[in-house]
Amino acid sequence: MRAGPSQDEIRRQNLGALLRYVHVHGATTRAELTTALGLNRSTIGALTADLAGAGLVSEGTPKETGRAGRPSLVVRPESARVYAYAYSIEVDRLRAARVGLGGTVLDRRELDRPRDLTAAEAAPLLAGAVKEMQHAVPGESICVGAGVAVCGMVRRADGLVRLGPTTGWVDEPIGAALSAELGCDVPVTVGNVADVAAFAEHARGAASGCDNVIYLYGDVGVGAGIIAGGRRVTGHGGYGGEVGHMKVVRDGERCERCECGSRGCWETEIGEHALLRHAGRSDARGRDALLAVFDAADRGDARAQSAVRQAGDWLGFGVANLVNIFNPEMVIFGGTMRDLYLAAAAQVRSRLNSNGLAACLEHVRLRTPKLGEDAALIGAAELAFERLLADPLDAG
Amino acid sequence: MRAGPSQDEIRRQNLGALLRYVHVHGATTRAELTTALGLNRSTIGALTADLAGAGLVSEGTPKETGRAGRPSLVVRPESARVYAYAYSIEVDRLRAARVGLGGTVLDRRELDRPRDLTAAEAAPLLAGAVKEMQHAVPGESICVGAGVAVCGMVRRADGLVRLGPTTGWVDEPIGAALSAELGCDVPVTVGNVADVAAFAEHARGAASGCDNVIYLYGDVGVGAGIIAGGRRVTGHGGYGGEVGHMKVVRDGERCERCECGSRGCWETEIGEHALLRHAGRSDARGRDALLAVFDAADRGDARAQSAVRQAGDWLGFGVANLVNIFNPEMVIFGGTMRDLYLAAAAQVRSRLNSNGLAACLEHVRLRTPKLGEDAALIGAAELAFERLLADPLDAG
């Protein structure tokens, strides 16, 4: 219902569009920008000058092209000087990184996370990692903010972690705790790890150019980041994508170590506990234990093979449901779902093909992440960069 | 990645925003438009003059306000003169209507549909209904196009009905057949009935003002129209929302009279066949037979009550999955799902509450359609009006 934009809004949109282009595509000639953005050369020149003046991009001559004539100037994001802090809070570890404009991880730290660590305990550890990294930040750098990827349901309004079934967090204000620890005035934005990883893979990873994507992320539990029509689907409060709590068995297993209080959730069939239990390793836990099951299956261990096949079949079962509901172009398997998919691709595809509707199966591609484990960090940084891209000169 | 708009694009956006506002809200004073659209009085005046010149709106003095001073002029959509044709192809009937700008059904026809009627047979029947209605169209009217709501999976690119499990249609070009029959040059847009009904309820019905909505529509089968972040979710090819084919039982009933080829689909537990079978009326079919079951349950028939309770429990089961996946503000029950929801609301709510995640349940409201059975017709017309609203003076 909104009316067209004012002149000021148009300038902001144009500045944002140009900066976003080089943020996603890297160094770009002025000529390419003219074509890509549909603006004339003088407008591109003026916008670039404004962004360069704010220290967000630089201009230079391209490498030798071998062609005659004056080469078009190249516009580069100031990746080393404009950055965001990114945090990833996972079941077994904490990660912090400094991510430059353009999506380059400039520096990083990783810490073990005991499974009972609270948000109040995690914040100083992450802040400590940031303080270490701050020593290496060059002068005249611009920090645009911080983003946090967390396993759990995040309230969009304020970043409160309402429920992190696998971290044990309930109503933990991790964003506020980090802001207080860092003592800085950069805004901290919190998102669900699957959502932000989907965001990153969509912007610059496996799903680049795809408008309808499901990124399935597993650790102990399972969640999804969903892109529909080119936009993130996060629901009314920000809690969307809880596909691990899609019930697939009416009177199934109680959802272990999860406060959902229900039974028969998809993650009770494809999550860490299910795979370890079916492989006869109920006492084990963690990523390494899971990888040991895949390894044993690879080496011919019958019980491990059976557990992997069964979980793969259930993986295909739930993916088929999501494919029928969303008609995506791509499903990406991240975290432990990557390992499971790679170990049981035949079962996943077979169940997907038998349960999926033909029209929905036509164009869907199954993929692993291109950004690997960095997707969570790069996606968390994207949360912070979003504000810069919406209004480059105000935030810059 | 798009740059800001040109002056021409801004004018189109402003014209579209003003026309959309009166299309959705009805007669509106210039003063309200100024506030709602954030444009100044002279711009609103100029835009209104352009739209009035094209015959899309009219201006007049409002009814007596009782306040001193010159009243603000009222802008009205030309509902009687600017219209779209709308068709709804359902399992047991065909409907055609003439819908005015502003969403008013000006005229309508309804025909029985034998369950084996093909698209080629349906098109002349619908065209005949339109020709009847054309006699009553006033002079100097503007037909902006036609929209079709159909039970089935519709390819967005060209409106081909890929699969209508309940109509028996496979790869039926209903849009092209209607265009040919009508012999007119107005474009015909085809959409899934649940999608277009959701569109209508979102624009001007029960979900007005809600950005995250699931509209569940049942006839023989079950589908959903999904609005996420204020936008329709229809997937890569246009086939999204096939929630009836979400599998809820691993080795369940084969999906009857449906070419999905699978088992344990949600609609095998909540669709027409399930309810009739569980009520001991396997030989019956159709809406009236279904209503007879609800009626019998109401009058104390134990078998009917048991069937209704069981189906209501399964309805809540699937709705909980969708609520966990989408975190919607509202779920609307349309078609036979309305009847089932009203007959078994306690079972639906109980299962939803036990299976839904607490954060996702917090703000979700369960509702019946405000536009009733007109939602399909009004939504089909909205498909045609969308083109007008995108560029009022070009299409007008």
Side-chain angles (χ1 to χ4, degrees), chain A residues 80-101:
Chain A
R81 290 187 52 229
V82 182
Y83 66 92
Y85 282 110
Y87 308 98
S88 178
I89 296 167
E90 299 160 40
V91 178
D92 292 320
R93 62 177 174 174
L94 302 173
R95 290 188 289 162
R98 203 160 63 81
V99 180
L101 187 66

Side-chain angles (χ1 to χ4, degrees), chain B residues 46-247:
Chain B
L47 294 169
T48 303
D50 286 347
L51 293 171
L56 300 172
V57 302
S58 61
E59 282 197 288
T61 48
K63 297 195 183 89
E64 188 54 58
T65 61
R67 278 193 282 174
R70 199 166 61 129
S72 182
L73 285 171
V74 166
V75 183
R76 292 188 177 83
E78 278 280 15
S79 298
R81 290 187 53 229
V82 182
Y83 66 93
Y85 283 110
Y87 309 98
S88 178
I89 295 167
E90 299 160 40
V91 178
D92 292 320
R93 63 177 174 174
L94 303 173
R95 291 188 287 162
R98 202 160 64 80
V99 180
L101 187 65
T104 314
V105 177
L106 301 168
D107 200 356
R108 66 171 82 218
R109 296 290 184 280
E110 185 172 326
L111 304 160
D112 285 340
R113 176 184 180 273
R115 286 201 175 179
D116 56 359
L117 193 80
T118 65
E121 291 161 346
L125 295 176
L126 288 166
V130 162
K131 278 168 195 154
E132 265 182 58
M133 288 191 281
Q134 275 171 341
H135 296 303
V137 176
E140 298 191 28
S141 287
I142 302 168
C143 177
V144 302
V148 187
V150 59
C151 295
M153 300 175 79
V154 178
R155 185 160 69 192
R156 182 169 39 236
D158 58 5
L160 187 79
V161 180
R162 290 293 304 280
L163 178 66
T166 56
T167 54
W169 288 10
V170 177
D171 291 338
E172 292 271 16
I174 182 66
L178 272 169
S179 288
E181 277 294 334
L182 294 167
C184 63
D185 56 0
V186 294
V188 178
T189 309
V190 187
N192 170 275
V193 61
D195 282 338
V196 306
F199 192 14
E201 289 288 345
H202 178 242
R204 57 179 79 252
S208 169
C210 294
D211 275 347
N212 295 280
V213 181
I214 292 171
Y215 179 101
L216 207 60
Y217 178 83
D219 46 60
V220 177
V222 178
I226 296 159
I227 311 276
R231 296 173 162 237
R232 288 190 291 156
V233 172
T234 54
H236 178 58
Y239 312 123
E242 288 295 333
V243 299
H245 298 282
M246 169 168 65
K247 306 295 178 288

Side-chain angles (χ1 to χ4, degrees), chain A residues 135-214:
Chain A
H135 295 304
V137 175
E140 298 192 27
S141 287
I142 301 169
C143 178
V144 302
V148 186
V150 59
C151 296
M153 300 174 78
V154 177
R155 185 159 70 192
R156 183 171 36 237
D158 58 5
L160 187 79
V161 180
R162 291 292 305 279
L163 178 66
T166 56
T167 54
W169 288 10
V170 177
D171 291 338
E172 292 272 15
I174 182 67
L178 272 170
S179 288
E181 277 294 334
L182 293 167
C184 62
D185 56 0
V186 294
V188 178
T189 309
V190 187
N192 170 276
V193 61
D195 282 338
V196 305
F199 192 14
E201 289 288 345
H202 178 243
R204 57 178 80 250
S208 168
C210 294
D211 275 346
N212 296 279
V213 181
I214 292 171

Side-chain angles (χ1 to χ4, degrees), chain B residues 1-59:
Chain B
M1 205 65 68
R2 244 191 115 250
S6 67
Q7 289 302 313
D8 269 0
E9 288 170 330
I10 290 170
R11 182 158 167 277
R12 271 201 295 278
Q13 280 184 32
N14 285 341
L15 287 164
L18 199 162
L19 190 59
R20 186 182 293 273
Y21 198 90
V22 298
H23 174 56
V24 171
H25 297 270
T28 308
T29 65
R30 281 198 188 187
E32 283 171 65
L33 288 170
T34 305
T35 310
L37 302 180
L39 296 170
N40 63 40
R41 293 171 65 97
S42 69
T43 304
I44 292 291
L47 294 169
T48 303
D50 286 347
L51 293 171
L56 300 172
V57 302
S58 61
E59 282 197 288

Side-chain angles (χ1 to χ4, degrees), chain A residues 307-326:
Chain A
V308 168
R309 278 198 215 106
Q310 183 178 340
D313 184 65
W314 274 114
L315 179 56
F317 186 97
V319 166
N321 279 356
L322 297 175
V323 164
N324 289 348
I325 293 171
F326 287 101

Side-chain angles (χ1 to χ4, degrees), chain A residues 373-385:
Chain A
E373 300 201 337
D374 280 356
L377 292 171
I378 293 171
E382 296 291 354
L383 294 178
F385 286 129

